[in-house]
Amino acid sequence: MRYPDSAVAWRADHHLLTALRRCGADPYVAGAARALSWAGEHGAVWLAAGLAGAGADPVRRRAWMRATALVAASHATSMVVKRVVRRPRPPVVPLVSTAGRHSFPSSHAASATAAAFAFGALLPGGPVPPMAAAMCVSRLVVGVHYPTDVVCGALLGGVMARLGRGWSLAGVRDD
């Protein structure tokens, strides 16, 4: 049987979600995924990291604050898109509760990816990009997003951070 392209994508989305959700059967994986999901709620861990960067780096405080504003804007934009699209969450038993019932795009992925780009420009080689990637995957492991939700959330956060890069780094010297 041949499926239209959208049906193939839908099936792939569900198969990948199911496979990653199964990883949550391991208590260590489930615990880590829950912790990442909790920390990323409303972009909290990324906003705290940006404020910590601003406090620890007085020379580039404005750049850190602007980068943090980009993270917050990415999260807020994803929430607006989520209210417009209104895609229901996956029909699986999640490992965490959610603040809302809509899944597209992943706001965790949007804020995490924005942080990876915005803070990564200020702290090259730092821990933010791998933590952001882990947070994106955690949303699938806990079963609250489809892979396309996470990919589109990450694209949204990355585009917003890229568009705001010049503004956030204004006045920062490359030494």
Side-chain angles (χ1 to χ4, degrees), residues 90-106:
V92 298
V93 177
L95 297 178
V96 295
S97 60
T98 60
R101 63 179 192 260
H102 300 114
S103 70
F104 182 91
S106 167

Side-chain angles (χ1 to χ4, degrees), residues 9-10 12 28 36 41 49 71 79 86 88-90 97 100 105 111 125 130 139 143 150 152 171:
W10 183 86
Y28 295 108
L36 285 166
E41 197 64 44
V71 171
M79 296 300 292
R86 304 177 66 84
R89 297 221 181 249
S97 60
S111 59
R139 302 307 283 165
V150 173
C152 290

Side-chain angles (χ1 to χ4, degrees), residues 45-159:
V45 70
W46 309 118
L47 299 176
L51 294 175
D57 188 358
V59 172
R60 299 184 301 169
R61 180 169 288 136
R62 282 193 173 137
W64 278 101
M65 294 303 293
R66 289 176 180 161
T68 304
L70 286 174
V71 171
S74 296
H75 182 81
T77 301
S78 72
M79 296 300 292
V80 170
V81 173
K82 196 175 284 207
R83 284 187 164 79
V84 171
V85 175
R86 304 177 66 84
R87 183 182 194 185
R89 297 221 181 249
V92 298
V93 177
L95 297 178
V96 295
S97 60
T98 60
R101 63 179 192 260
H102 300 114
S103 70
F104 182 91
S106 167
S107 297
H108 279 69
S111 59
T113 304
F117 282 101
F119 300 158
L122 293 166
L123 190 63
V128 177
M131 285 183 61
M135 181 165 292
C136 289
V137 172
S138 79
R139 302 307 283 165
L140 301 169
V141 173
V142 298
V144 296
H145 285 291
Y146 294 101
T148 50
D149 299 337
V150 173
V151 168
C152 290
L155 286 170
L156 176 86
V159 165

